[in-house]
Amino acid sequence: MSQENRDRPVELSRRNQGCAVTARWRTGSGSGGITGPDEVVIRLADDAAPEIRERGITSATLHRLGRQVDDMVAEFHELPSVGAYQVMVRRYIEGRLAELAQARGATADGFEADLLAVFEDLTGRGHADPLGALATATGRSREALDGLLDVARQRGGHEGRDWRRV
């Protein structure tokens, strides 16, 4: 932790899918190790979509925002961004799945086809472990994803539509 961070309160914030999360460290949080914030505030963003406002802050929201807190802890402690590529891929996958769901209608069938489209996109980009990246981003096991991808393939994939252009 830099001297500057030890001498004053620090507040870091992130926005993610209709929510804002703020982490605060107090003055003089003097231990030499990596410490989490003293306070974390999670709130719906003022411009959150109506469906997000209706749902509120769920356990899935907390899980997703936990990763944002991890990023802020790394930033606060000025840790090297060794995992930056994995974070970038995870965020890309989450964003693409959200875009694809919105394009087909959130209540329509097709999650498996969306997963297959993102899997094929990652494979086409030469990602070393597209299944592992999907597992990390979605919180599902490799086995569960294999099953969902098989369902999508049996149903005809993404039905000839180029989902990467959605």
Side-chain angles (χ1 to χ4, degrees):
M1 175 180 359
S2 74
Q3 182 63 37
E4 180 183 330
N5 287 345
R6 276 191 289 257
D7 293 339
R8 65 179 173 79
V10 174
E11 180 176 297
L12 298 172
S13 296
R14 299 283 190 279
R15 291 176 55 93
N16 183 282
Q17 298 179 12
C19 293
V21 60
T22 301
R24 295 183 183 111
W25 286 261
R26 287 185 226 138
T27 303
S29 53
S31 88
I34 296 174
T35 59
D38 299 303
E39 179 181 6
V40 174
V41 177
I42 298 170
R43 65 177 180 78
L44 293 176
D46 295 335
D47 60 350
E51 60 272 10
I52 292 172
R53 288 199 166 286
E54 185 177 314
R55 247 188 344 259
I57 297 172
T58 64
S59 60
T61 304
L62 293 173
H63 179 73
R64 187 179 69 247
L65 294 176
R67 291 178 285 201
Q68 301 295 324
V69 174
D70 289 344
D71 290 348
M72 289 185 281
V73 168
E75 181 180 337
F76 176 76
H77 289 285
E78 299 170 349
L79 298 173
S81 56
V82 189
Y85 176 73
Q86 289 86 351
V87 169
M88 179 186 72
V89 170
R90 183 187 74 232
R91 288 182 181 158
Y92 170 77
I93 291 169
E94 291 169 348
R96 286 298 295 143
L97 287 173
E99 288 171 15
L100 293 169
Q102 187 175 23
R104 68 174 157 75
T107 59
D109 289 334
F111 179 66
E112 297 88 356
D114 293 351
L115 285 172
L116 182 58
V118 173
F119 176 82
E120 289 174 349
D121 187 20
L122 292 172
T123 301
R125 293 171 185 259
H127 191 282
D129 184 15
L131 189 62
L134 271 177
T136 299
T138 63
R140 289 177 165 77
S141 70
R142 287 174 175 269
E143 296 76 23
L145 284 170
D146 268 336
L148 291 169
L149 293 171
D150 284 344
V151 167
R153 289 180 188 109
Q154 290 169 1
R155 290 182 181 167
H158 36 273
E159 297 162 2
R161 188 168 177 193
D162 185 358
W163 288 99
R164 288 170 285 197
R165 303 277 183 233
V166 172

